[in-house]
Amino acid sequence: MVQIERILEEAIKRDASDIHLIRGNKPMLRIIRDLVPVRDTDILTEEDMSEVYDYFIRGNIERDKVFAETRKIDMSYEYGETRLRVNVSLENDIPVFTLRIIKNTLPPYESLGIPEVVKTVINQPQGLVLVTGKTNSGKTTTLNALINQINENSNKKILTLENPVEYRHKSKQSIIVQKEIGAGKDSPSFSDGVKNSLREDCDIVVIRRN
């Protein structure tokens, strides 16, 4: 029997960025750049993967339906005060789980090495800003740091459309509305979310998808 919450606890305690749950392997943690096994755990079996699936998804009819139809799903999950981004896919028709641990606090804007010119861009009255990069290059952290920078220094209404929502912002100088996209969520699709934003008196619309 796989002890899911013990795995989560160890990942949080060891400051892991990701958890990998794959049949035929021990539960693995990404710590800095290395993959290391969770201590005192067994190799995961097919039955273990079904148990993990039940833990994260089975109780939610909409998520179960989306996974059955698309054979993959991205979702957010809260364990205590820790937020996780959960990706579920299939290998040989058996679920594979990749869990990203979302830090509760954003690093200081100045510590991210963002060029100073970006500060001038986010203060423009209109325009389009693209945040791009390879996987695990810090796109989500950078984007949310920019949102936080605006939130702390400008009087705006910010709407985010995300799949899933990772960082939860609190309104400061700005008002922030965060909508999760997907079946059974705040908006069924990004296109619907964008269309409705035209009626929501937004100053800034942020679209973030994995």
Side-chain angles (χ1 to χ4, degrees), residues 129-140:
V129 177
L130 300 178
V131 178
T132 65
K134 63 182 181 179
T135 302
N136 294 334
S137 62
K139 297 186 298 296
T140 297

Side-chain angles (χ1 to χ4, degrees), residues 118 121-122 127-133 139 142-143 146 205-207:
V118 175
V121 170
I122 63 176
L128 174 68
V129 177
L130 300 178
V131 178
T132 65
K139 297 186 298 296
T142 299
L143 183 60
L146 293 173
V205 178
V206 178
I207 300 172

Side-chain angles (χ1 to χ4, degrees), residues 17-33:
S17 61
D18 301 270
I19 305 168
H20 298 273
L21 304 174
I22 304 167
R23 184 192 62 163
N25 297 271
K26 286 190 173 187
M28 303 293 287
L29 306 179
R30 173 82 67 181
I31 300 177
I32 305 178
R33 294 181 180 176

Side-chain angles (χ1 to χ4, degrees), residues 3-102:
Q3 296 178 304
I4 302 168
E5 294 188 354
R6 193 179 78 76
I7 294 170
L8 297 177
E9 290 285 354
E10 180 167 338
I12 295 165
K13 183 177 180 180
R14 298 178 69 180
D15 198 28
S17 61
D18 301 270
I19 305 168
H20 298 273
L21 304 174
I22 304 167
R23 184 192 62 163
N25 297 271
K26 286 190 173 187
M28 303 293 287
L29 306 179
R30 173 82 67 181
I31 300 177
I32 305 178
R33 294 181 180 176
D34 295 329
L35 288 169
V36 298
V38 176
R39 292 179 285 233
D40 301 320
T41 55
D42 297 323
I43 290 174
L44 294 166
T45 66
E46 185 173 344
E47 291 74 20
D48 291 330
M49 302 316 296
S50 294
E51 185 180 337
V52 176
Y53 184 87
D54 288 344
Y55 182 89
F56 286 110
I57 292 182
R58 188 76 71 185
N60 187 305
I61 295 173
E62 286 291 343
R63 286 176 179 168
D64 195 33
K65 181 180 178 182
V66 169
F67 185 75
E69 292 175 351
T70 66
R71 304 177 73 79
K72 61 181 176 60
I73 191 170
D74 282 296
M75 52 178 273
S76 57
Y77 183 81
E78 293 190 12
Y79 176 71
E81 297 182 355
T82 301
R83 289 178 60 79
L84 304 166
R85 184 183 74 200
V86 180
N87 174 269
V88 193
S89 58
L90 289 173
E91 180 200 29
N92 198 24
D93 216 35
I94 296 170
V96 174
F97 289 81
T98 306
L99 316 179
R100 167 63 55 88
I101 298 174
I102 309 302

